[in-house]
Amino acid sequence: QVQLVESGGGLVQPGGSLRLSCVASGSIFSIYAMGWYRQAPGKQRELVASITSGSSKTYKDSVKGRFTISRDNAKNTVYLQMMNLKPEDTAYYYCNIGPIGTVLAGEFGSWGQGTQVTVSS
């Protein structure tokens, strides 16, 4: 079973930036898609961005132009660069790995511990 460790969250003022990282264990990293998700209090978890093994990317409309997903297969790591953060970006952020269909649907049996992002003045 792949283990996922997210990091890089924190408290930031509106307009600020953060870079999240997610390290995945195992040797399957390079062949699968990765996704970043977030869950705000009282809301369902939602897909924020995805990246395929070939580095094709998708973004949630509300983060387009502000967030950038990237991956480093040599380090088994996927990143989410977040700029011009807004209070509505406040949530726990999670990553996951799998076939692109699974990533887009967000249908996973297990998740990492996530990393908290709080955007507030």
Side-chain angles (χ1 to χ4, degrees):
Q1 183 175 351
V2 175
Q3 293 193 339
L4 304 158
V5 179
E6 302 95 339
S7 62
L11 173 63
V12 63
Q13 292 186 342
S17 300
L18 284 173
R19 187 195 196 202
L20 306 184
S21 300
C22 169
V23 180
S25 65
S27 60
I28 66 170
F29 181 86
S30 63
I31 67 173
Y32 280 128
M34 296 288 298
W36 277 102
Y37 306 81
R38 67 186 181 189
Q39 186 168 21
K43 295 187 177 181
Q44 289 189 332
R45 186 157 22 211
E46 60 182 6
L47 177 66
V48 175
S50 70
I51 185 167
T52 67
S53 58
S55 294
S56 294
K57 303 171 186 179
T58 67
Y59 295 97
K60 179 179 174 60
D61 283 348
S62 61
V63 308
K64 285 180 180 177
R66 300 189 298 120
F67 290 11
T68 302
I69 189 170
S70 61
R71 65 191 294 163
D72 184 339
N73 290 339
K75 296 181 179 180
N76 277 20
T77 302
V78 62
Y79 304 98
L80 187 67
Q81 178 69 50
M82 305 186 295
M83 301 179 67
N84 190 21
L85 283 160
K86 304 177 179 181
E88 52 264 42
D89 295 318
T90 295
Y92 259 95
Y93 283 71
Y94 302 85
C95 67
N96 224 316
I97 182 171
I100 184 60
T102 303
V103 169
L104 294 176
E107 295 175 346
F108 294 99
S110 64
W111 296 83
Q113 85 288 351
T115 186
Q116 173 75 51
V117 172
T118 302
V119 185
S120 175
S121 55

